[in-house]
Amino acid sequence: MPSEQAVESLRALGALAVPAVLARLDGSRSPDRWLWAKLLADIGIASAEVSDALERAMTNRHLGEPDRAWAAAALSGAPLDAEQHEHYTARLRHLRQDDPDPSVRNAAAALGG
């Protein structure tokens, strides 16, 4: 896990940090994907690339509940257009109804799914 100072530095870089943060979120060896999803939410960049990466994390059943819940939370707070908002709300509804992990179902329900 990166230091608080490293995370703060990335947060301060804003949009410039997004490619590096996305690489960590999508990284197969990253044990702390929840941190990268949270950082994307804090940075607040709404792009198709960011939304797609968060959706992949949110729907990846091989990830733990914190990783998936933070990805869902980041998507729910992202400044999305109407079409994107409907798409991700539908994905949250699907997770709320069908995910085998009760923690993920609860997180999806709390986020409006």
Side-chain angles (χ1 to χ4, degrees):
M1 181 181 256
S3 70
E4 278 187 46
Q5 183 178 5
V7 171
E8 286 304 317
S9 295
L10 288 168
R11 186 177 289 112
L13 285 172
L16 294 174
V18 168
V21 175
L22 287 173
R24 295 298 299 223
L25 180 65
D26 281 337
S28 63
R29 295 178 185 247
S30 184
D32 46 9
R33 292 182 195 191
W34 66 269
L35 175 69
W36 306 112
K38 182 181 182 313
L39 186 54
L40 286 171
D42 292 346
I43 293 171
I45 302 296
S47 69
E49 189 177 23
V50 169
S51 298
D52 290 347
L54 289 168
E55 182 180 8
R56 282 190 301 275
M58 178 181 77
T59 58
N60 184 341
R61 292 185 178 179
H62 298 287
L63 296 179
E65 185 269 335
D67 298 326
R68 296 177 68 207
W70 269 108
L75 273 172
S76 72
L80 306 172
D81 64 32
E83 184 178 330
Q84 289 172 314
H85 186 268
E86 179 54 37
H87 172 79
Y88 295 117
T89 300
R91 297 294 287 160
L92 285 169
R93 277 194 302 266
H94 173 74
L95 287 174
R96 183 192 75 217
Q97 295 168 354
D98 299 329
D99 199 272
D101 186 332
S103 298
V104 172
R105 289 194 309 268
N106 292 337
L111 293 167

